[in-house]
Amino acid sequence: QVHVAESGGGLVQPGGSLKLSCAASGRTSASINAMSWYRQAPGKEREFVARFHWGGGPDYGDSMKGRITISRDIAKKTFYLQINDLKADDTAVYYCRVYTPYGDRWGPGTQVTVSS
């Protein structure tokens, strides 16, 4: 089983930056072979943000492309989402999803609020 926990959210002013983290743990966490970030704004459906598959490279959704970078520290089983030039429309709960040969797992999410 794998456990997932996001962190790094908070209140930030428009134009600011945040780096979100996704930490994985558990017996099967070593078998993670892909991860992705999603977000869900109030009243909206969950939206794909970015994905990183170990067999390929990063893949970014259109909504935030150009302002985000995903990365990973395999040894720490931690994945990151760097968001720059934050806008009010970026206000959402950001979720991490990890994939293993045994299935996928979502984290509980971290709130990002962009406001002056």
Side-chain angles (χ1 to χ4, degrees), residues 90-105:
D90 295 324
T91 295
V93 178
Y94 285 72
Y95 297 91
C96 175
R97 184 182 186 186
V98 300
Y99 307 82
T100 76
Y102 313 102
D104 62 283
R105 177 77 65 172

Side-chain angles (χ1 to χ4, degrees), residues 77-92:
K77 301 176 189 175
T78 302
F79 316 99
Y80 305 97
L81 176 66
Q82 175 72 42
I83 312 174
N84 300 319
D85 190 22
L86 279 154
K87 308 176 188 302
D89 288 347
D90 295 324
T91 295

Side-chain angles (χ1 to χ4, degrees), residues 3-85:
H3 304 282
V4 181
E6 304 91 340
S7 61
L11 175 65
V12 62
Q13 292 187 344
S17 299
L18 276 178
K19 188 172 186 177
L20 307 182
S21 299
C22 170
S25 61
R27 188 168 54 88
T28 59
S29 60
S31 61
I32 292 172
N33 54 26
M35 62 80 56
S36 55
W37 286 97
Y38 288 76
R39 67 179 183 176
Q40 188 165 19
K44 295 186 177 181
E45 294 186 353
R46 195 166 294 189
E47 175 186 42
F48 169 75
V49 173
R51 174 174 51 237
F52 204 134
H53 192 284
W54 288 191
D59 179 27
Y60 298 104
D62 291 337
S63 62
M64 302 184 76
K65 189 178 291 185
R67 298 189 293 121
I68 58 173
T69 304
I70 55 173
S71 59
R72 57 180 175 163
D73 185 329
I74 294 177
K76 294 182 178 179
K77 301 176 189 175
T78 302
F79 316 99
Y80 305 97
L81 176 66
Q82 175 72 42
I83 312 174
N84 300 319
D85 190 22

